Amino acid sequence: MRKCLEKKITATPHIMNLKVGNFCVICFAVFIQVVHCHAVDPDVFRNITQLITSKGYPCEDHTVTTSDDFILGIQRIPHGVHGLEGNGPRPVVYLQHGLLCDSTLWVTNIVKDSLAFLLADAGFDVWLGNSRGNTYSRRHKTLSPKNPKFWDWSWDEMAQYDIPAVIDYIINTTGQQQLYYIGHSQGTLIGFSAFSQNQQVAKKVKLFIALAPVAYLGHTKTPLKILAHWPEQVYFEVFGDKDFLPSNWFFKLMALTACKDKLTLPICTNVLFLLCGYDNKNLNQSRLPVYVSHSPAGTSVKNMIHYSQAIKSGKYQKYDYGTGGNKQHYGQATPPQYNVSNMRTPVVLYSAVNDWLADPKDVSYLKSQLHTRYNSTEIPKWNHLDFAWGIDAGKILYSQLIQILKN
């Protein structure tokens, strides 16, 4: 590969005359050369719809407008590769991704280990959500992503606006009374938040399956713990006041270079692995370029600050604007706390022993606060991302989930 690149770059000498200020142009040129030099998994370049249809599954693209005017892109896999089987409506399952991910999380593993595909083949009507600000939900009725006001939200707004809007849309579209909700990481966080404070929405969820459940973050071991001690203003000065780690050409370039070479493979363990933990023994490294090309998929800087606040305080509460800001937003000096004991939706929790983000101690405290019916399982050796990308995810977890939903 190195010889191929040297040959191709030498063949375009004008690239070598570019100044340092044109570094991005150089990187893009190298990116193009890599595509020609090296065998690339086509899933690196496919969007969510193409990832689904390329495996023989049907895909529908839908848009959902929230009550605060964000336009969310969601996808539907109405049935499996063998088409519709049986009579009557298919049970509905709504999958919600985690922090810095998007709906591709559920379909980037190989088919037999991708939850969305397995559910579709098992007879379910599968819907894939996308939180505001990620690759497939960067639209608003009046605001542009270039406007800082577009990014003035955290997971509070995802729970208050995104989850109710998507659930109502799915219910209205399918004509069914209830659905199953499966969340991973942030998908569980906004699920606990939404279902504990909005009983009308909660009634539409037959069962909540929480993978790597997040609510309390006081014991997390990720580098976010270091950032939690930064003053809010420093956070904004360093990262800006808009989006945080959107999917872009840089991660495509990483997928095509560092992720394909054994010597540079450790570099490819991007920010997601840094935040959540890296389990190289249970990761299909041949799929690593695909994972990195789609994740991280972006969120707001304000959302990351909210995570830092939760880590520092150890509390499950709304965004902290400071005493004055809290009085303006909430009518009190401190941010209101979420009370998961109010949740009545039955929940099944799956956690992992080596999870850096959803630490076992925090998960244990979450369980102590639940007053609804629940079951819980702790998976040994797994980390945070094994729930989506683990080599043995289909065998260890997904077969169980399908049986739970069928029974």
Side-chain angles (χ1 to χ4, degrees):
M1 175 179 171
R2 182 179 299 171
K3 291 182 179 179
C4 177
L5 280 175
E6 289 175 352
K7 180 178 180 181
K8 284 187 173 289
I9 292 175
T10 303
T12 52
H14 63 281
I15 291 177
M16 306 310 294
N17 295 326
L18 291 173
K19 296 180 180 180
V20 175
N22 291 322
F23 176 72
C24 290
V25 177
I26 296 174
C27 288
F28 183 74
V30 174
F31 172 86
I32 296 301
Q33 307 303 338
V34 172
V35 173
H36 291 287
C37 287
H38 205 74
V40 180
D41 190 320
D43 283 351
V44 167
F45 300 103
R46 288 172 172 148
N47 62 27
I48 178 62
T49 305
Q50 294 165 339
L51 284 169
I52 294 170
T53 57
S54 65
K55 308 303 183 295
Y57 292 81
C59 180
E60 300 173 5
D61 288 295
H62 295 255
T63 56
V64 176
T65 302
T66 67
S67 59
D68 64 340
D69 294 337
F70 276 84
I71 301 172
L72 313 177
I74 65 174
Q75 290 77 41
R76 180 189 193 185
I77 307 177
H79 56 76
V81 290
H82 300 298
L84 292 168
E85 298 177 359
N87 299 319
R90 300 162 70 84
V92 176
V93 181
Y94 167 22
L95 303 178
Q96 183 61 43
H97 62 79
L99 175 64
L100 291 172
C101 294
D102 58 30
S103 54
T104 61
L105 179 78
W106 309 105
V107 297
T108 44
N109 230 351
I110 59 176
V111 172
K112 72 179 183 67
D113 288 320
S114 289
L115 182 56
F117 295 141
L118 292 175
L119 286 169
D121 285 336
F124 294 92
D125 184 354
V126 183
W127 293 76
L128 311 177
N130 282 292
S131 295
R132 60 182 61 198
N134 79 10
T135 304
Y136 300 99
S137 296
R138 292 172 63 92
R139 296 166 57 197
H140 188 278
K141 278 189 174 181
T142 60
L143 298 174
S144 164
K146 296 179 180 179
N147 188 333
K149 291 182 179 179
F150 179 94
W151 301 99
D152 187 18
W153 45 262
S154 73
W155 45 264
D156 283 338
E157 285 73 21
M158 296 180 197
Q160 184 177 355
Y161 300 111
D162 295 5
I163 294 297
V166 173
I167 287 180
D168 283 346
Y169 182 89
I170 295 173
I171 292 293
N172 292 334
T173 302
T174 61
Q176 298 205 36
Q177 304 263 326
Q178 289 184 306
L179 52 73
Y180 297 103
Y181 180 96
I182 300 179
H184 173 254
S185 186
Q186 181 178 264
T188 70
L189 175 65
I190 58 180
F192 287 119
S193 304
F195 306 147
S196 62
Q197 68 180 354
N198 189 333
Q199 297 305 318
Q200 293 303 312
V201 171
K203 289 178 181 177
K204 299 171 185 176
V205 177
K206 180 180 273 189
L207 178 67
F208 173 15
I209 296 180
L211 309 179
V214 173
Y216 301 93
L217 290 164
H219 293 91
T220 184
K221 299 180 181 69
T222 78
L224 282 175
K225 196 156 191 172
I226 299 174
L227 300 182
H229 296 283
W230 287 13
E232 182 177 315
Q233 190 54 41
V234 173
Y235 228 116
F236 282 123
E237 287 177 1
V238 172
F239 297 111
D241 56 1
K242 296 180 183 177
D243 51 344
F244 182 87
L245 290 178
S247 179
N248 55 31
W249 63 268
F250 174 75
F251 293 106
K252 298 288 186 186
L253 183 61
M254 271 190 64
L256 293 169
T257 53
C259 296
K260 297 293 290 184
D261 192 301
K262 290 183 179 180
L263 293 177
T264 57
L265 198 61
I267 301 173
C268 194
T269 56
N270 66 2
V271 68
L272 281 180
F273 297 100
L274 185 64
L275 294 179
C276 303
Y278 180 57
D279 183 4
N280 59 353
K281 293 182 180 179
N282 199 34
L283 182 73
N284 184 348
Q285 297 198 7
S286 68
R287 298 293 292 173
L288 196 55
V290 179
Y291 305 150
V292 172
S293 65
H294 294 283
S295 300
T299 188
S300 70
V301 172
K302 183 176 179 180
N303 191 41
M304 298 305 296
I305 293 175
H306 197 172
Y307 274 90
S308 294
Q309 291 177 353
I311 292 170
K312 186 175 182 179
S313 69
K315 298 178 181 178
Y316 182 23
Q317 61 187 16
K318 294 194 175 185
Y319 190 91
D320 190 346
Y321 293 93
T323 302
N326 290 334
K327 288 181 178 179
Q328 182 180 351
H329 280 83
Y330 311 121
Q332 59 187 56
T334 57
Q337 295 192 38
Y338 289 98
N339 188 354
V340 292
S341 66
N342 290 334
M343 193 176 76
R344 295 294 174 262
T345 305
V347 60
V348 176
L349 303 100
Y350 283 92
S351 58
V353 172
N354 296 323
D355 195 327
W356 288 5
L357 191 59
D359 185 270
K361 292 180 182 178
D362 290 324
V363 174
S364 178
Y365 184 71
L366 167 63
K367 290 188 288 187
S368 74
Q369 301 302 299
L370 290 171
H371 290 176
T372 187
R373 290 186 294 114
Y374 78 88
N375 289 314
S376 65
T377 300
E378 186 178 66
I379 302 177
K381 299 182 180 179
W382 270 25
N383 73 1
H384 198 73
L385 291 173
D386 285 328
F387 290 93
W389 294 337
I391 290 175
D392 55 3
K395 178 181 178 181
I396 298 294
L397 177 63
Y398 298 160
S399 58
Q400 286 188 35
L401 294 190
I402 291 172
Q403 287 304 312
I404 289 172
L405 297 180
K406 285 188 172 182
N407 294 334

